[in-house]
Amino acid sequence: MGISLTLRPPQPVTRREWRILALFGIVGITQGWAGSAITHALPFVQTEFALSDARVFDLMAVVRAVALVAIVLSWWSDHRGRRRPLLIALLILTAGNLATGLTASFASFVALQSVARIGTIAIGALAIVVLAEEVAPAIRGYAIALYSLLGSMGTGLGLLLRPLADADPTAWRLLFLLSSAPILVLPFLTRSLRESRAFTPPPRRQRLTAVLGPTHAGRFWRMAALSFALSAFSSPVANLALIRLENGLAWSTGAASLMLVLSSTPGVILGLLIGGRLADTAGRRPTQAIAIGVGVVGGVAFYSVEGWLLGVAMFLATLGGSAFAPAFASHRSELFPTEIRSTAAAWLVNAAIAGGLIGFAAGRFAVDAWGLSVTIGALGVALALATTALVGLPETKGLTIHEHAEGNDPPTGAIPV
Protein backbone atom coordinates (compact mmCIF):
# COMPACT_ATOMS: atom_id res chain seq x y z
CA MET A 1 0.00 0.00 0.00
CA GLY A 2 1.58 3.28 -1.12
CA ILE A 3 1.26 6.55 0.72
CA SER A 4 1.21 9.78 -1.29
CA LEU A 5 3.10 12.45 0.67
CA THR A 6 1.15 15.40 -0.66
CA LEU A 7 -1.38 17.80 0.80
CA ARG A 8 -3.97 16.46 -1.64
CA PRO A 9 -6.95 14.98 0.24
CA PRO A 10 -7.97 11.36 -0.43
CA GLN A 11 -11.30 12.53 -1.90
CA PRO A 12 -12.60 15.88 -3.24
CA VAL A 13 -13.22 18.52 -0.58
CA THR A 14 -16.41 20.55 -0.89
CA ARG A 15 -16.46 24.34 -0.84
CA ARG A 16 -18.09 24.29 2.59
CA GLU A 17 -15.38 21.97 3.92
CA TRP A 18 -12.62 24.23 2.53
CA ARG A 19 -14.23 27.15 4.33
CA ILE A 20 -14.25 25.18 7.58
CA LEU A 21 -10.61 24.15 7.12
CA ALA A 22 -9.61 27.76 6.47
CA LEU A 23 -11.34 29.04 9.61
CA PHE A 24 -9.89 26.28 11.73
CA GLY A 25 -6.49 27.02 10.22
CA ILE A 26 -6.67 30.36 12.06
CA VAL A 27 -7.69 28.54 15.22
CA GLY A 28 -4.84 26.04 14.81
CA ILE A 29 -2.18 28.71 14.28
CA THR A 30 -3.47 30.57 17.33
CA GLN A 31 -3.39 27.46 19.50
CA GLY A 32 0.09 26.50 18.32
CA TRP A 33 1.63 29.95 18.68
CA ALA A 34 -0.03 31.19 21.87
CA GLY A 35 -0.25 27.78 23.52
CA SER A 36 3.48 27.10 23.17
CA ALA A 37 4.64 30.50 24.41
CA ILE A 38 5.29 29.18 27.91
CA THR A 39 7.54 26.41 26.54
CA HIS A 40 9.47 28.89 24.40
CA ALA A 41 9.95 31.26 27.32
CA LEU A 42 10.77 28.60 29.92
CA PRO A 43 14.60 28.87 29.88
CA PHE A 44 14.34 32.66 30.31
CA VAL A 45 11.76 32.29 33.07
CA GLN A 46 14.01 29.79 34.85
CA THR A 47 16.90 32.24 34.70
CA GLU A 48 14.99 35.38 35.74
CA PHE A 49 13.26 33.78 38.71
CA ALA A 50 16.27 31.59 39.64
CA LEU A 51 14.31 28.34 39.44
CA SER A 52 15.96 24.98 40.00
CA ASP A 53 15.10 22.11 37.65
CA ALA A 54 12.84 20.74 40.36
CA ARG A 55 10.95 24.04 40.60
CA VAL A 56 10.51 24.06 36.83
CA PHE A 57 8.79 20.69 37.17
CA ASP A 58 6.61 22.22 39.91
CA LEU A 59 5.72 25.21 37.72
CA MET A 60 4.61 23.08 34.79
CA ALA A 61 2.67 20.75 37.09
CA VAL A 62 0.69 23.63 38.63
CA VAL A 63 -0.16 25.11 35.22
CA ARG A 64 -1.44 21.74 34.02
CA ALA A 65 -3.39 21.04 37.19
CA VAL A 66 -5.40 24.25 36.87
CA ALA A 67 -6.16 23.41 33.23
CA LEU A 68 -8.26 20.44 34.37
CA VAL A 69 -11.21 22.83 34.73
CA ALA A 70 -11.30 23.25 30.93
CA ILE A 71 -13.63 20.25 30.90
CA VAL A 72 -16.45 22.63 31.90
CA LEU A 73 -16.29 24.32 28.48
CA SER A 74 -16.52 20.96 26.70
CA TRP A 75 -19.42 19.84 28.89
CA TRP A 76 -21.15 23.12 28.07
CA SER A 77 -20.59 22.51 24.36
CA ASP A 78 -22.43 19.18 24.55
CA HIS A 79 -25.50 20.99 25.87
CA ARG A 80 -25.47 24.44 24.25
CA GLY A 81 -23.34 24.01 21.14
CA ARG A 82 -19.68 24.04 20.15
CA ARG A 83 -19.30 27.58 18.79
CA ARG A 84 -19.53 29.79 21.89
CA PRO A 85 -17.27 27.71 24.18
CA LEU A 86 -14.65 27.57 21.42
CA LEU A 87 -14.67 31.35 21.01
CA ILE A 88 -14.44 31.82 24.78
CA ALA A 89 -11.47 29.44 24.91
CA LEU A 90 -9.69 31.47 22.22
CA LEU A 91 -10.30 34.65 24.23
CA ILE A 92 -9.01 33.06 27.43
CA LEU A 93 -5.79 31.91 25.75
CA THR A 94 -4.93 35.14 23.95
CA ALA A 95 -5.98 37.46 26.79
CA GLY A 96 -4.05 35.31 29.27
CA ASN A 97 -0.87 35.64 27.22
CA LEU A 98 -1.39 39.38 26.83
CA ALA A 99 -1.66 39.77 30.60
CA THR A 100 1.36 37.49 31.13
CA GLY A 101 3.48 39.76 28.95
CA LEU A 102 2.67 42.66 31.27
CA THR A 103 3.25 40.90 34.58
CA ALA A 104 6.30 41.23 36.81
CA SER A 105 6.03 38.66 39.61
CA PHE A 106 6.49 34.90 39.48
CA ALA A 107 3.20 34.28 41.30
CA SER A 108 1.20 36.28 38.75
CA PHE A 109 3.08 34.54 35.92
CA VAL A 110 2.01 31.13 37.23
CA ALA A 111 -1.59 32.28 37.78
CA LEU A 112 -1.98 33.88 34.35
CA GLN A 113 -0.40 31.00 32.47
CA SER A 114 -2.61 28.57 34.36
CA VAL A 115 -5.64 30.50 33.10
CA ALA A 116 -4.24 30.67 29.56
CA ARG A 117 -3.67 26.92 29.65
CA ILE A 118 -7.39 26.42 30.27
CA GLY A 119 -7.99 28.07 26.90
CA THR A 120 -5.32 25.96 25.18
CA ILE A 121 -6.75 22.69 26.49
CA ALA A 122 -10.34 23.62 25.67
CA ILE A 123 -9.41 24.58 22.10
CA GLY A 124 -7.59 21.30 21.63
CA ALA A 125 -10.68 19.32 22.59
CA LEU A 126 -13.36 21.43 20.90
CA ALA A 127 -11.67 22.15 17.57
CA ILE A 128 -11.06 18.47 16.86
CA VAL A 129 -14.66 17.59 17.71
CA VAL A 130 -16.05 20.22 15.35
CA LEU A 131 -13.74 19.16 12.53
CA ALA A 132 -14.70 15.52 12.99
CA GLU A 133 -18.38 16.44 12.85
CA GLU A 134 -18.14 18.79 9.88
CA VAL A 135 -16.06 16.90 7.29
CA ALA A 136 -16.69 13.65 5.43
CA PRO A 137 -15.41 10.43 7.07
CA ALA A 138 -12.96 9.72 4.24
CA ILE A 139 -11.07 12.97 4.88
CA ARG A 140 -11.43 13.17 8.65
CA GLY A 141 -7.83 12.17 9.32
CA TYR A 142 -6.65 14.52 6.57
CA ALA A 143 -8.59 17.46 8.01
CA ILE A 144 -7.25 16.89 11.53
CA ALA A 145 -3.73 16.46 10.15
CA LEU A 146 -4.03 19.77 8.28
CA TYR A 147 -5.29 21.47 11.43
CA SER A 148 -2.36 20.02 13.39
CA LEU A 149 0.07 21.11 10.66
CA LEU A 150 -1.12 24.70 10.90
CA GLY A 151 -0.88 24.47 14.68
CA SER A 152 2.73 23.33 14.26
CA MET A 153 3.35 26.30 11.99
CA GLY A 154 2.15 28.52 14.83
CA THR A 155 4.56 26.76 17.19
CA GLY A 156 7.36 27.19 14.64
CA LEU A 157 6.61 30.91 14.38
CA GLY A 158 7.02 31.19 18.14
CA LEU A 159 10.37 29.38 17.92
CA LEU A 160 11.61 31.74 15.22
CA LEU A 161 10.71 34.72 17.41
CA ARG A 162 12.63 33.41 20.44
CA PRO A 163 15.88 35.31 19.67
CA LEU A 164 13.96 38.52 20.44
CA ALA A 165 14.05 37.44 24.07
CA ASP A 166 17.85 37.79 24.10
CA ALA A 167 17.65 41.58 23.76
CA ASP A 168 17.14 42.13 27.48
CA PRO A 169 16.75 40.00 30.65
CA THR A 170 13.04 40.80 30.68
CA ALA A 171 12.51 40.66 26.90
CA TRP A 172 11.04 37.15 27.13
CA ARG A 173 7.73 38.89 27.88
CA LEU A 174 7.65 39.88 24.21
CA LEU A 175 7.04 36.23 23.37
CA PHE A 176 3.74 36.37 25.26
CA LEU A 177 2.75 39.81 23.99
CA LEU A 178 3.34 38.88 20.35
CA SER A 179 1.56 35.53 20.71
CA SER A 180 -1.55 37.36 21.93
CA ALA A 181 -1.88 39.09 18.51
CA PRO A 182 -4.56 36.62 17.28
CA ILE A 183 -6.96 38.28 19.72
CA LEU A 184 -7.39 40.83 16.92
CA VAL A 185 -9.05 38.23 14.65
CA LEU A 186 -11.58 37.14 17.26
CA PRO A 187 -14.29 39.51 15.89
CA PHE A 188 -13.84 37.93 12.44
CA LEU A 189 -14.07 34.41 13.86
CA THR A 190 -17.14 35.39 15.88
CA ARG A 191 -18.90 36.46 12.68
CA SER A 192 -17.67 33.55 10.57
CA LEU A 193 -17.78 30.43 12.77
CA ARG A 194 -21.09 28.59 12.63
CA GLU A 195 -22.50 25.91 14.87
CA SER A 196 -21.56 22.32 14.07
CA ARG A 197 -24.13 20.65 11.83
CA ALA A 198 -23.99 17.48 13.90
CA PHE A 199 -24.98 19.26 17.10
CA THR A 200 -28.59 19.32 18.21
CA PRO A 201 -29.64 20.14 21.78
CA PRO A 202 -29.93 16.82 23.62
CA PRO A 203 -33.37 15.87 24.96
CA ARG A 204 -31.90 15.60 28.43
CA ARG A 205 -28.76 16.93 30.02
CA GLN A 206 -26.07 14.28 30.27
CA ARG A 207 -24.12 14.12 33.50
CA LEU A 208 -20.54 15.34 33.41
CA THR A 209 -19.52 11.80 34.41
CA ALA A 210 -21.71 9.99 31.84
CA VAL A 211 -18.73 8.87 29.78
CA LEU A 212 -17.20 7.22 32.85
CA GLY A 213 -20.17 4.91 33.34
CA PRO A 214 -20.58 1.30 32.21
CA THR A 215 -22.04 2.14 28.78
CA HIS A 216 -18.87 3.79 27.55
CA ALA A 217 -16.31 2.58 30.08
CA GLY A 218 -14.77 -0.14 27.92
CA ARG A 219 -13.70 2.37 25.30
CA PHE A 220 -13.09 5.35 27.51
CA TRP A 221 -10.67 3.79 29.99
CA ARG A 222 -8.53 2.26 27.26
CA MET A 223 -8.27 5.61 25.48
CA ALA A 224 -7.66 7.35 28.81
CA ALA A 225 -4.79 4.99 29.68
CA LEU A 226 -3.16 5.69 26.34
CA SER A 227 -3.70 9.45 26.64
CA PHE A 228 -2.32 9.43 30.19
CA ALA A 229 0.85 7.51 29.32
CA LEU A 230 1.48 9.53 26.16
CA SER A 231 1.37 12.83 28.02
CA ALA A 232 3.44 11.52 30.94
CA PHE A 233 6.19 10.90 28.40
CA SER A 234 5.72 13.68 25.85
CA SER A 235 5.15 16.61 28.23
CA PRO A 236 8.61 16.45 29.83
CA VAL A 237 10.22 15.58 26.48
CA ALA A 238 8.72 18.60 24.72
CA ASN A 239 8.81 21.17 27.49
CA LEU A 240 12.34 20.50 28.69
CA ALA A 241 14.01 20.32 25.27
CA LEU A 242 15.11 23.97 25.26
CA ILE A 243 16.27 23.74 28.86
CA ARG A 244 18.41 20.71 27.97
CA LEU A 245 19.97 22.50 25.02
CA GLU A 246 20.48 25.94 26.56
CA ASN A 247 20.91 25.37 30.29
CA GLY A 248 22.25 21.81 30.10
CA LEU A 249 24.44 21.76 26.98
CA ALA A 250 25.19 25.53 26.87
CA TRP A 251 23.70 26.13 23.41
CA SER A 252 22.86 29.74 22.55
CA THR A 253 19.23 30.82 22.22
CA GLY A 254 19.53 31.21 18.46
CA ALA A 255 21.31 27.89 17.93
CA ALA A 256 18.85 25.94 20.08
CA SER A 257 15.82 27.50 18.38
CA LEU A 258 17.26 26.97 14.90
CA MET A 259 18.13 23.33 15.60
CA LEU A 260 14.61 22.61 16.85
CA VAL A 261 13.05 24.32 13.85
CA LEU A 262 15.27 22.52 11.33
CA SER A 263 14.84 19.09 12.91
CA SER A 264 11.21 19.24 14.03
CA THR A 265 9.66 20.97 11.00
CA PRO A 266 10.26 18.08 8.57
CA GLY A 267 9.28 15.64 11.31
CA VAL A 268 5.98 17.43 11.88
CA ILE A 269 5.16 17.79 8.17
CA LEU A 270 6.03 14.22 7.26
CA GLY A 271 4.43 12.86 10.43
CA LEU A 272 1.12 14.61 9.80
CA LEU A 273 1.04 13.69 6.12
CA ILE A 274 1.88 10.06 6.80
CA GLY A 275 -0.24 9.80 9.94
CA GLY A 276 -3.27 11.49 8.41
CA ARG A 277 -3.15 9.32 5.28
CA LEU A 278 -2.47 6.09 7.20
CA ALA A 279 -5.30 6.84 9.62
CA ASP A 280 -7.72 7.12 6.70
CA THR A 281 -6.38 4.09 4.81
CA ALA A 282 -4.70 1.57 7.13
CA GLY A 283 -6.78 2.48 10.17
CA ARG A 284 -6.66 4.38 13.44
CA ARG A 285 -5.22 1.62 15.63
CA PRO A 286 -2.16 0.53 13.63
CA THR A 287 -1.23 4.14 12.90
CA GLN A 288 -1.24 4.99 16.61
CA ALA A 289 0.85 1.94 17.53
CA ILE A 290 3.53 2.60 14.88
CA ALA A 291 3.67 6.31 15.69
CA ILE A 292 4.19 5.68 19.40
CA GLY A 293 7.12 3.35 18.70
CA VAL A 294 8.87 5.94 16.53
CA GLY A 295 8.16 8.77 18.98
CA VAL A 296 9.47 6.88 22.01
CA VAL A 297 12.74 6.03 20.26
CA GLY A 298 13.27 9.64 19.26
CA GLY A 299 12.23 11.17 22.59
CA VAL A 300 14.44 8.90 24.68
CA ALA A 301 17.38 9.40 22.32
CA PHE A 302 17.12 13.21 22.52
CA TYR A 303 17.97 13.09 26.22
CA SER A 304 20.75 10.55 25.76
CA VAL A 305 22.83 11.76 22.80
CA GLU A 306 24.73 14.91 21.89
CA GLY A 307 25.91 16.74 18.78
CA TRP A 308 24.19 16.24 15.42
CA LEU A 309 22.41 13.14 16.72
CA LEU A 310 20.20 15.48 18.72
CA GLY A 311 18.66 16.66 15.46
CA VAL A 312 18.01 13.10 14.32
CA ALA A 313 16.40 12.28 17.65
CA MET A 314 14.16 15.35 17.57
CA PHE A 315 13.12 14.52 14.01
CA LEU A 316 12.05 11.02 15.07
CA ALA A 317 10.27 12.32 18.19
CA THR A 318 8.25 14.86 16.22
CA LEU A 319 7.64 12.41 13.37
CA GLY A 320 6.07 9.91 15.77
CA GLY A 321 4.13 12.47 17.77
CA SER A 322 2.75 14.15 14.66
CA ALA A 323 1.76 10.87 13.01
CA PHE A 324 -0.07 9.85 16.19
CA ALA A 325 -2.13 13.05 16.49
CA PRO A 326 -4.64 12.73 13.60
CA ALA A 327 -5.22 9.02 14.20
CA PHE A 328 -5.87 9.44 17.92
CA ALA A 329 -8.00 12.56 17.45
CA SER A 330 -10.15 10.86 14.81
CA HIS A 331 -10.48 7.72 16.93
CA ARG A 332 -11.60 9.56 20.06
CA SER A 333 -14.21 11.54 18.10
CA GLU A 334 -15.64 8.40 16.49
CA LEU A 335 -15.90 6.21 19.58
CA PHE A 336 -18.53 8.28 21.43
CA PRO A 337 -22.03 9.58 20.56
CA THR A 338 -22.69 13.22 19.68
CA GLU A 339 -24.40 14.11 22.96
CA ILE A 340 -21.23 13.37 24.95
CA ARG A 341 -18.55 13.67 22.28
CA SER A 342 -17.05 16.95 23.52
CA THR A 343 -17.23 15.85 27.15
CA ALA A 344 -15.55 12.55 26.30
CA ALA A 345 -12.81 14.42 24.44
CA ALA A 346 -12.35 16.73 27.42
CA TRP A 347 -12.10 13.79 29.84
CA LEU A 348 -9.44 12.27 27.59
CA VAL A 349 -7.62 15.61 27.52
CA ASN A 350 -7.84 15.65 31.31
CA ALA A 351 -6.34 12.16 31.35
CA ALA A 352 -3.50 13.66 29.31
CA ILE A 353 -3.18 16.54 31.77
CA ALA A 354 -3.04 14.06 34.65
CA GLY A 355 -0.40 12.14 32.73
CA GLY A 356 1.62 15.29 32.26
CA LEU A 357 1.32 16.01 35.97
CA ILE A 358 2.56 12.54 36.83
CA GLY A 359 5.35 12.86 34.29
CA PHE A 360 6.52 16.10 35.83
CA ALA A 361 5.97 14.77 39.36
CA ALA A 362 8.04 11.69 38.58
CA GLY A 363 10.72 13.89 37.12
CA ARG A 364 10.54 16.19 40.13
CA PHE A 365 11.65 13.35 42.43
CA ALA A 366 13.56 11.10 40.04
CA VAL A 367 15.66 13.57 38.09
CA ASP A 368 18.06 14.28 40.96
CA ALA A 369 18.57 10.58 41.68
CA TRP A 370 18.46 9.07 38.19
CA GLY A 371 19.31 11.94 35.91
CA LEU A 372 17.15 13.34 33.14
CA SER A 373 17.94 10.71 30.49
CA VAL A 374 17.04 7.72 32.70
CA THR A 375 13.87 9.44 33.90
CA ILE A 376 12.73 10.09 30.32
CA GLY A 377 13.65 6.50 29.38
CA ALA A 378 11.48 5.07 32.16
CA LEU A 379 8.52 7.18 31.03
CA GLY A 380 9.07 5.94 27.47
CA VAL A 381 8.91 2.31 28.59
CA ALA A 382 5.63 3.03 30.39
CA LEU A 383 4.17 4.53 27.20
CA ALA A 384 5.26 1.55 25.09
CA LEU A 385 3.47 -0.78 27.54
CA ALA A 386 0.31 1.37 27.46
CA THR A 387 0.04 0.85 23.70
CA THR A 388 -1.53 -2.55 24.44
CA ALA A 389 -4.72 -0.63 25.33
CA LEU A 390 -5.38 -0.33 21.59
CA VAL A 391 -6.03 -4.06 21.35
CA GLY A 392 -9.44 -3.80 23.01
CA LEU A 393 -10.67 -0.87 20.91
CA PRO A 394 -12.73 -1.19 17.71
CA GLU A 395 -11.41 0.16 14.42
CA THR A 396 -13.45 3.19 13.29
CA LYS A 397 -11.83 4.06 9.94
CA GLY A 398 -14.41 5.46 7.51
CA LEU A 399 -17.13 5.71 10.15
CA THR A 400 -20.02 8.08 9.46
CA ILE A 401 -20.93 9.85 12.68
CA HIS A 402 -24.60 9.40 13.52
CA GLU A 403 -26.39 10.80 16.48
CA HIS A 404 -27.83 8.04 18.59
CA ALA A 405 -26.96 6.15 21.71
CA GLU A 406 -23.97 3.89 21.61
CA GLY A 407 -24.75 0.23 21.95
CA ASN A 408 -22.77 -2.95 21.59
CA ASP A 409 -20.35 -3.16 18.72
CA PRO A 410 -22.11 -4.70 15.70
CA PRO A 411 -20.52 -7.81 14.29
CA THR A 412 -19.99 -6.18 10.87
CA GLY A 413 -17.41 -3.76 12.22
CA ALA A 414 -19.51 -0.71 11.36
CA ILE A 415 -19.66 0.95 14.71
CA PRO A 416 -22.62 3.30 15.20
CA VAL A 417 -21.92 6.23 17.46
Side-chain angles (χ1 to χ4, degrees):
M1 178 182 60
I3 301 171
S4 175
L5 298 183
T6 70
L7 286 176
R8 185 175 60 189
Q11 76 171 35
V13 180
T14 66
R15 183 176 180 180
R16 182 190 63 82
E17 288 171 333
W18 277 124
R19 178 181 177 277
I20 292 166
L21 290 174
L23 290 173
F24 276 87
I26 299 173
V27 176
I29 291 172
T30 300
Q31 183 190 8
W33 185 13
S36 62
I38 186 172
T39 301
H40 297 158
L42 201 54
F44 305 107
V45 173
Q46 182 182 33
T47 299
E48 173 161 339
F49 296 113
L51 305 178
S52 65
D53 286 345
R55 289 203 67 196
V56 170
F57 276 93
D58 292 340
L59 161 65
M60 299 306 289
V62 169
V63 169
R64 278 161 171 73
V66 174
L68 289 167
V69 303
I71 194 172
V72 175
L73 288 171
S74 291
W75 184 58
W76 181 22
S77 81
D78 276 334
H79 298 103
R80 300 295 183 182
R82 322 298 196 196
R83 176 180 171 275
R84 187 176 298 176
L86 179 59
L87 291 170
I88 290 174
L90 285 164
L91 177 61
I92 290 173
L93 171 58
T94 50
N97 274 14
L98 178 62
T100 300
L102 301 174
T103 192
S105 71
F106 179 65
S108 59
F109 172 87
V110 175
L112 289 168
Q113 277 304 287
S114 297
V115 172
R117 189 72 181 176
I118 293 173
T120 303
I121 296 301
I123 294 168
L126 291 168
I128 296 301
V129 166
V130 177
L131 278 176
E133 293 176 341
E134 286 285 87
V135 302
I139 64 166
R140 192 170 289 139
Y142 166 82
I144 293 173
L146 185 58
Y147 173 81
S148 301
L149 177 60
L150 290 167
S152 298
M153 289 174 61
T155 302
L157 175 60
L159 274 172
L160 292 175
L161 293 173
R162 287 191 75 247
L164 294 175
D166 271 338
D168 181 87
T170 61
W172 56 266
R173 290 173 174 82
L174 281 173
L175 302 181
F176 290 99
L177 292 173
L178 292 172
S179 69
S180 69
I183 198 172
L184 300 175
V185 302
L186 268 179
F188 168 74
L189 290 175
T190 301
R191 293 192 303 269
S192 303
L193 280 176
R194 302 171 185 170
E195 186 53 74
S196 167
R197 294 186 306 166
F199 175 79
T200 55
R204 60 186 178 87
R205 177 173 295 184
Q206 296 285 338
R207 299 189 313 275
L208 182 61
T209 58
V211 72
L212 308 180
T215 303
H216 311 288
R219 297 176 180 185
F220 173 78
W221 289 111
R222 286 181 174 88
M223 291 292 281
L226 188 58
S227 184
F228 179 94
L230 177 73
S231 187
F233 173 72
S234 63
S235 292
V237 168
N239 285 278
L240 301 179
L242 287 168
I243 284 183
R244 168 164 166 75
L245 292 174
E246 295 176 23
N247 296 355
L249 300 177
W251 286 43
S252 68
T253 299
S257 299
L258 183 62
M259 191 279 280
L260 289 184
V261 168
L262 293 178
S263 59
S264 64
T265 299
V268 168
I269 294 173
L270 288 174
L272 290 171
L273 291 174
I274 294 172
R277 181 57 62 90
L278 273 180
D280 285 335
T281 55
R284 316 311 194 197
R285 294 191 305 175
T287 303
Q288 291 175 74
I290 294 169
I292 285 175
V294 174
V296 166
V297 169
V300 172
F302 184 81
Y303 288 87
S304 305
V305 301
E306 296 186 16
W308 65 270
L309 288 175
L310 285 164
V312 176
M314 181 53 65
F315 169 78
L316 291 175
T318 53
L319 178 71
S322 299
F324 177 86
F328 181 79
S330 298
H331 209 188
R332 82 181 187 195
S333 297
E334 294 159 346
L335 285 173
F336 302 99
T338 301
E339 62 266 20
I340 62 165
R341 185 169 295 121
S342 285
T343 306
W347 274 112
L348 291 175
V349 170
N350 274 4
I353 294 173
L357 287 171
I358 294 299
F360 281 113
R364 170 69 171 82
F365 296 103
V367 69
D368 289 336
W370 294 357
L372 194 54
S373 62
V374 176
T375 301
I376 296 295
L379 293 171
V381 170
L383 173 56
L385 293 174
T387 310
T388 57
L390 290 168
V391 174
L393 290 171
E395 179 56 63
T396 58
K397 178 189 69 173
L399 174 71
T400 298
I401 291 177
H402 299 290
E403 186 184 0
H404 56 74
E406 179 184 27
N408 295 327
D409 295 342
T412 62
I415 299 135
V417 293

